[in-house]
Amino acid sequence: MGLAFCKRAIAFLLSCWLLFCVACSVEGLHEDSKVRGVNLGGWLVIEGWIKPSLFDGIPNGEMLDGTEVQLKSVMLQKYVSADNGGGMNVTVDRDTPLSWETFRLWRVSESIFQFRTSQGQFLTCNGSGSVVTASAESASATETFYLERNKENRIHIKLKSGTYLQASNSNQLTADYPGTPGWDDNAATFEMTITANNLHGDYQLANGYGYNKGKEVLKKHRNTFITIEDFDFLYRNGINTVRIPVGWWIAFDPNPPAPFIDGSLEALDNAFSWALAYSIKCIIDLHAAPGSQNGMEHSASRDGTTGWSSPDFILQTLDVIEFLASRYAQHPSLLGIELLNEPWAATVPLDVLVSFYEQGYQIVRKYSSSAYVIFCQRIGDADPFELYQANLGSINTVVDLHYYNMFDPSFSNMSTLANIEFIYKSRESQIQALNSANGPLVFVGEWVNEWNQTTGTQTDYQNFGTAQLEVYNAASFGWAYWTLKNDRMHWDFEWNIRNNYLQLQLGCTSSRQISNIILLLVLVCCCFFQHHLL
């Protein structure tokens, strides 16, 4: 009688375990598993910090699109300023440089530039003898200036006609300097300070090199950075999905708008073929949208501004989604399409984003009834629950969360233990709540085995990675590491695996869940033996 009871109890518990694994599985993956993924970041959407050497050959590479500069008259010892941040006059009368005195470069060539103010207008001059203002809403010939620069970061600025700008005694910027200036303290010489050179994306690379050299650099990068051997490595290490960031210009290949360079579509086709050979699924992630959805280099922003929320850019983005869905919906390697990566809450209103997501969902459904449609949370001051309160779609929908114990002052001085406790307390509780929200599945689409700690040992990293894997394994859709390859070793998935800094747990259950199941089985067996002895 006791033996029969024990067998029935064990069978019941094993059935519960199997039901749990099936419930947490993702349709389309083998063996009823969830996504165990890796991002192919820095490949088809360039991020200079992932592989800085891509930018090494750009002439005058300190002055790329989006570089922020301040100009100081060496004669007046005053800074050039766009009154009110732009839209008005330009003066040379400020002692201390702030935002009005900071200009973002639009690069035309290595020595020809346009200057954009903090409010978005451009410096403009109608010709020799004219006064420079900051009133142009767009940039063309009258907003284009030619720079001469010496080794001490002193510059001369001139018009195409050859006339040099100068700081006048009335504190104006005028195009009337007589003759050719030297590098002494004259009215036509300015001291240039580069205050930020943070944008190193597709726009900066392509516009910095120019088309011919840029194509040579990108072709080599696309052919070597990710190869079929990488898919073999991922397969052998239990990875079943790759999340592949792409830029909006892929839809125009082989003739994308300038300055973007063709070739990314062929590379994406290759990735799908390699994935098929190794039974790996693909998520296409629209990482860079027209107009830029977050102002960062990985959204291909020209100068750090965002314009995606405008109706024209949104329509263009929907056209890109249509292109991707129509091309890949029936490919056996497609798992899902992520409609937009990391929209910034400060510039992308929720109602605008929800409307876009609803339309994007319908477009994907035109071509596939089962491909997952993935909605990325807004970054910044936003709560992912906001997407669960919207009716974004009814079939195979996913919300993507990006978890980094970085990029926020609250993580600056966290100890190793505090970082790990944050994963178990904050991250785990949010995932549990979203899993129970009766809406889209939960996907930790980006995370990394790195933090703000500077003294972490290998054991510390192993513990931190294990904590993340245990918690993120519980996400109903799964997770994807950022990123496969990176010059910064702890961001590099391959380096982490080969050097045993990250220890993967395969299967749909975490070690804690397995421990709980084993504990229950032990308790049942104990009950049996106790009953038998009695």
Side-chain angles (χ1 to χ4, degrees), residues 291-503:
S292 175
Q293 72 276 19
N294 54 36
M296 300 181 189
E297 65 182 28
H298 57 68
S299 63
S301 177
R302 181 171 189 174
D303 62 6
T305 57
T306 59
W308 177 82
S309 295
S310 74
D312 287 346
F313 284 138
I314 290 174
L315 286 174
Q316 289 179 37
T317 309
L318 291 170
D319 287 342
V320 175
I321 297 300
E322 180 122 25
F323 170 82
L324 294 170
S326 65
R327 186 178 183 90
Y328 295 103
Q330 301 307 313
H331 196 290
S333 293
L334 180 72
L335 183 64
I337 295 177
E338 186 156 356
L339 302 179
L340 187 67
N341 178 70
E342 293 187 346
W344 189 27
T347 57
V348 178
L350 179 59
D351 60 334
V352 172
L353 183 64
V354 166
S355 175
F356 165 74
Y357 278 164
E358 291 171 344
Q359 294 175 76
Y361 173 84
Q362 295 299 331
I363 289 173
V364 176
R365 286 289 164 261
K366 280 173 54 180
Y367 299 96
S368 172
S369 60
S370 60
Y372 285 90
V373 183
I374 304 172
F375 315 112
C376 189
Q377 70 171 107
R378 294 192 299 168
I379 59 172
D381 188 14
D383 189 323
F385 273 103
E386 66 190 14
L387 297 180
Y388 286 81
Q389 297 166 355
N391 183 21
L392 299 176
S394 58
I395 302 171
N396 284 2
T397 57
V398 180
V399 166
D400 180 10
L401 315 174
H402 293 175
Y403 282 158
Y404 295 102
N405 279 27
M406 308 174 77
F407 312 127
D408 188 281
S410 62
F411 296 114
S412 297
N413 298 310
M414 270 193 182
S415 66
T416 297
L417 181 60
N419 271 282
I420 293 173
E421 288 179 343
F422 184 86
I423 298 297
Y424 282 125
K425 292 179 180 179
S426 179
R427 304 292 197 211
E428 186 170 41
S429 62
Q430 185 175 68
I431 288 173
Q432 289 173 346
L434 294 175
N435 278 343
S436 304
N438 193 30
L441 298 177
V442 181
F443 180 38
V444 183
E446 292 186 18
W447 65 279
V448 68
N449 197 28
E450 182 62 296
W451 45 17
N452 286 330
Q453 270 283 343
T454 57
T455 59
T457 65
Q458 181 174 7
T459 300
D460 291 334
Y461 276 100
Q462 288 173 338
N463 292 337
F464 184 54
T466 297
Q468 292 188 88
L469 283 166
E470 286 190 347
V471 170
Y472 304 159
N473 271 335
S476 52
F477 190 72
W479 52 260
Y481 190 91
W482 186 273
T483 181
L484 176 58
K485 295 182 178 181
N486 198 309
D487 276 15
R488 302 183 188 188
M489 56 191 183
H490 291 294
W491 292 78
D492 185 303
F493 177 80
E494 184 175 351
W495 182 91
N496 275 272
I497 296 299
R498 294 191 187 281
N499 291 278
N500 200 32
Y501 272 68
L502 193 62
Q503 300 166 318

Side-chain angles (χ1 to χ4, degrees), residues 5 113 273 311 325 372 433 449 490 532:
F5 166 77
F113 297 89
S273 298
Y372 285 90
N449 197 28
H490 291 294
H532 184 71

Side-chain angles (χ1 to χ4, degrees), residues 40 43 222-232 235 242 244 266-282 331 333:
L40 305 186
W43 184 36
R222 290 165 179 165
N223 288 342
T224 58
F225 191 64
I226 301 293
T227 67
I228 192 170
E229 285 76 18
D230 296 306
F231 281 75
D232 177 70
Y235 173 78
V242 288
I244 310 176
E266 179 183 1
L268 184 59
D269 286 344
N270 289 339
F272 268 78
S273 298
W274 301 334
L276 184 62
Y278 285 96
S279 300
I280 290 174
K281 294 292 185 178
C282 297
H331 196 290
S333 293

Side-chain angles (χ1 to χ4, degrees), residues 73 75-76 78 80 92 165-174 186-190:
S73 166
M75 185 183 75
L76 300 180
K78 302 287 184 180
V80 178
V92 190
L165 305 188
Q166 68 169 333
S168 71
N169 291 328
S170 58
N171 298 102
Q172 291 182 309
L173 190 61
T174 57
N186 59 71
T189 299
F190 299 85

Side-chain angles (χ1 to χ4, degrees), residues 38-331:
V38 172
N39 286 273
L40 305 186
W43 184 36
L44 304 186
V45 174
I46 297 301
E47 299 186 43
W49 68 278
I50 292 177
K51 188 177 180 182
S53 60
L54 288 173
F55 291 79
D56 286 350
I58 297 178
N60 196 12
E62 287 185 312
M63 299 176 68
L64 301 175
D65 286 279
T67 299
E68 297 181 11
V69 300
Q70 295 164 345
L71 306 174
K72 184 179 182 180
S73 166
V74 297
M75 185 183 75
L76 300 180
Q77 288 297 297
K78 302 287 184 180
Y79 285 91
V80 178
S81 176
D83 290 351
N84 206 35
M88 301 175 67
N89 297 324
V90 172
T91 57
V92 190
D93 61 356
R94 300 302 175 107
D95 294 318
T96 303
L98 298 171
S99 62
W100 292 7
E101 293 74 47
T102 303
F103 302 92
R104 295 179 179 182
L105 297 179
W106 278 27
R107 178 174 169 133
V108 179
S109 73
E110 63 181 284
S111 60
I112 305 174
F113 297 89
Q114 296 154 342
F115 295 85
R116 198 177 192 189
T117 69
S118 59
Q119 293 298 314
Q121 293 82 17
F122 293 86
L123 299 190
T124 184
C125 182
N126 288 326
S128 299
S130 298
V131 175
V132 176
T133 65
S135 57
E137 296 296 333
S138 59
S140 58
T142 53
E143 291 73 47
T144 301
F145 300 91
Y146 295 70
L147 269 60
E148 300 170 348
R149 181 183 179 191
N150 74 358
K151 294 181 180 179
E152 285 73 40
N153 275 334
R154 289 193 169 195
I155 66 167
H156 300 143
I157 309 170
K158 66 180 180 179
L159 306 181
K160 186 176 182 180
S161 64
T163 302
Y164 288 87
L165 305 188
Q166 68 169 333
S168 71
N169 291 328
S170 58
N171 298 102
Q172 291 182 309
L173 190 61
T174 57
D176 57 359
Y177 185 82
T180 301
W183 294 110
D184 58 333
D185 293 350
N186 59 71
T189 299
F190 299 85
E191 182 180 291
M192 181 181 70
T193 301
I194 296 175
T195 61
N197 183 20
N198 300 326
L199 294 176
H200 294 81
D202 280 273
Y203 202 103
Q204 287 72 29
L205 187 147
N207 207 35
Y209 278 116
Y211 178 79
N212 290 332
K213 181 62 177 178
K215 183 167 184 176
E216 176 186 329
V217 170
L218 279 182
K219 182 176 181 180
K220 179 180 179 181
H221 174 66
R222 290 165 179 165
N223 288 342
T224 58
F225 191 64
I226 301 293
T227 67
I228 192 170
E229 285 76 18
D230 296 306
F231 281 75
D232 177 70
F233 170 81
L234 293 173
Y235 173 78
R236 287 187 287 105
N237 284 279
I239 296 302
N240 61 20
T241 306
V242 288
R243 179 174 178 258
I244 310 176
V246 299
W248 62 271
W249 53 93
I250 195 172
F252 297 87
D253 220 283
N255 298 300
F260 297 105
I261 294 171
D262 56 286
S264 59
L265 184 60
E266 179 183 1
L268 184 59
D269 286 344
N270 289 339
F272 268 78
S273 298
W274 301 334
L276 184 62
Y278 285 96
S279 300
I280 290 174
K281 294 292 185 178
C282 297
I283 294 171
I284 304 174
D285 157 42
L286 185 57
H287 219 70
S292 175
Q293 72 276 19
N294 54 36
M296 300 181 189
E297 65 182 28
H298 57 68
S299 63
S301 177
R302 181 171 189 174
D303 62 6
T305 57
T306 59
W308 177 82
S309 295
S310 74
D312 287 346
F313 284 138
I314 290 174
L315 286 174
Q316 289 179 37
T317 309
L318 291 170
D319 287 342
V320 175
I321 297 300
E322 180 122 25
F323 170 82
L324 294 170
S326 65
R327 186 178 183 90
Y328 295 103
Q330 301 307 313
H331 196 290

